[in-house]
Amino acid sequence: MCSSLPIDSLQSVAQEMGVDVRSKAFAREMDARDKLAPLRDEFAIPKAQDGNDAVYLCGNSLGLLPKRAQTLVAEEFQVWAESGVIGHHQHRHGRPWVTIDEQVVGKSATIVGAKPAEVAVMGTLTANLHFLMVSFYRPTAQRYKILLEKRAFPSDTYAVKSQIQFHGYDPTTAMVALEPREGEYTLRHEDILAAIEEHGDEIALVLFPGVQYYTGQLFDIQGITEAAHRKGCYAGFDLAHAAGNVPLRLHDWQVDFACWCSYKYLNSGPGSIAGIFVHEQHFDNPALPRLTGWWGHEKTTRFDMSDEFTPSPGAAVYQHSNPSVLNTVCLLGSLQVFERAGMEQLREKSLLLTGYLEFLLQDLVQKFNMKIITPRSPSERGCQLSILLDCDVDTVFPQMMAAGLICDERKPNCIRLGPTPLYNSFTDVHRAAEIICRVMTAASAKSA
Ligand SMILES: *Cc1c(COP(=O)(O)O)cnc(C)c1O
């Protein structure tokens, strides 16, 4: 495959403009040409200490507030205040609460590449992961293992361990936890496939992230799924860092199930409502047990209040409770903006932004002995770059924040920068690189 790197196309644009790719003028001109640039106005951008917009590169942790969400929530308060319980069925803005999830299911399905019936918007990520494992982790004496990565997000590891114990197995033997090779930071696809090949007959479930939260590595979801299926294992994915970050095609890739939170790249607000995917090939699978609640009941007869559970068609059967309307409309506000942009166009800009950041940091990385642990290949990462510093992150992180760069730190020495194409600009990336340069230079002068 011969695809040129994003920085190559930036270089040629700079040449054509007749400006230095490292200059602020270049960043400004890129913003002027960016068709997605107006979307920034849809978001509330936090301020730095000096009163100017901060450089917010933390969408990987908590997406910014879409201004529409504020309007939508205000409308829900209005209906609640005026109508109380009547709002469940009559709603002056056309969003009756009993079917509020319908506002976001189709748009969420578009983001993850699913049919609408394969997606439900419900609950929270870790809880949903448990509910899905109730269905898809059915250990037997021969097949009882879960393959995951050793450095998975802790909540996922806890969930897996406790599921294994819940079924009476021992995590020390039932967890196959993959680590990068000695001296490496990310997993090689061939090593994942080899592990599936080696342990596959004993593996019930292969559980991977779409994008690794710490390194930013994007996994080959389709390849992992195919390998798992060849060995008779289910393949599930935690898309917390993938949904809204990279294009996904869960249906075509034959993924069995997936779950994600929506407060990271999907900007629905802290702790807001999450999403699940169940492939349609499992809709009528009687071998899959499920924990149910009234909201999973078929909706036209849900309020008959029968003792007999009639399943909703599709992934909606996994819903337990009536969803938080305030959370759901926050998500709606964000998904309306996504709809204007389109995931393919966002990805195109995302590749440029991250390639630009990587390029601007290259000299600094050399000079200050830092290491970018995110894969270099754009096809193996989302927007995030994870950087290991040659010093304690606490000695520079507060200075970066004070200078107006909002990113996140993972002790002892990692910072993660996630330029997101919905609201970040090329100027943001340029400013971020400048701030990091200034802070690192000052810190090394001090320690010298
Ligand atoms: C953000 C994140 C979580 C957080 O879980 P919640 O249940 O939403 O608190 C879990 N797993 C992964 C992989 C994450 O990135």
Side-chain angles (χ1 to χ4, degrees), residues 60-61 123-129 149 152-157 209-214 238-242 260-264 271-272 274 416:
N60 54 303
S61 184
T124 52
L125 174 55
T126 306
N128 290 346
L129 181 57
E149 17 135 42
F153 194 94
S155 198
D156 300 47
T157 304
V211 172
Q212 219 282 347
Y213 82 99
Y214 185 79
D238 184 329
L239 303 177
H241 284 261
W260 56 92
C261 55
S262 60
Y263 48 79
K264 291 171 181 165
S272 193
R416 298 184 301 171

Side-chain angles (χ1 to χ4, degrees), residues 363-371 388-391:
D363 292 345
L364 290 180
V365 163
Q366 293 269 316
K367 190 163 165 200
F368 297 107
N369 206 19
M370 310 193 288
K371 188 165 187 64
L388 295 185
L389 307 174
D390 192 27
C391 61

Side-chain angles (χ1 to χ4, degrees), residues 72-90:
L72 291 165
V73 167
E75 289 174 1
E76 297 306 336
F77 277 134
Q78 179 194 28
V79 173
W80 182 19
E82 286 175 359
S83 321
V85 72
I86 295 163
H88 277 303
H89 297 282
Q90 279 173 41

Side-chain angles (χ1 to χ4, degrees), residues 372-417:
I372 300 181
I373 59 172
T374 308
R376 299 219 55 165
S377 163
S379 65
E380 289 173 47
R381 66 189 188 199
C383 72
Q384 173 185 322
L385 291 183
S386 304
I387 304 172
L388 295 185
L389 307 174
D390 192 27
C391 61
D392 198 324
V393 68
D394 284 336
T395 62
V396 290
F397 186 73
Q399 288 83 333
M400 291 181 191
M401 294 287 274
L405 171 60
I406 303 180
C407 58
D408 78 9
E409 58 166 346
R410 293 280 145 168
K411 289 180 174 108
N413 66 333
C414 181
I415 55 171
R416 298 184 301 171
L417 307 168

Side-chain angles (χ1 to χ4, degrees), residues 427-444:
T427 303
D428 277 342
V429 167
H430 194 272
R431 282 181 63 202
E434 252 179 13
I435 291 171
I436 294 170
C437 178
R438 213 176 331 125
V439 170
M440 294 306 295
T441 306
S444 78

Side-chain angles (χ1 to χ4, degrees), residues 168-180:
Y169 292 84
D170 178 0
T172 56
T173 49
M175 273 174 56
V176 184
L178 279 184
E179 274 187 285

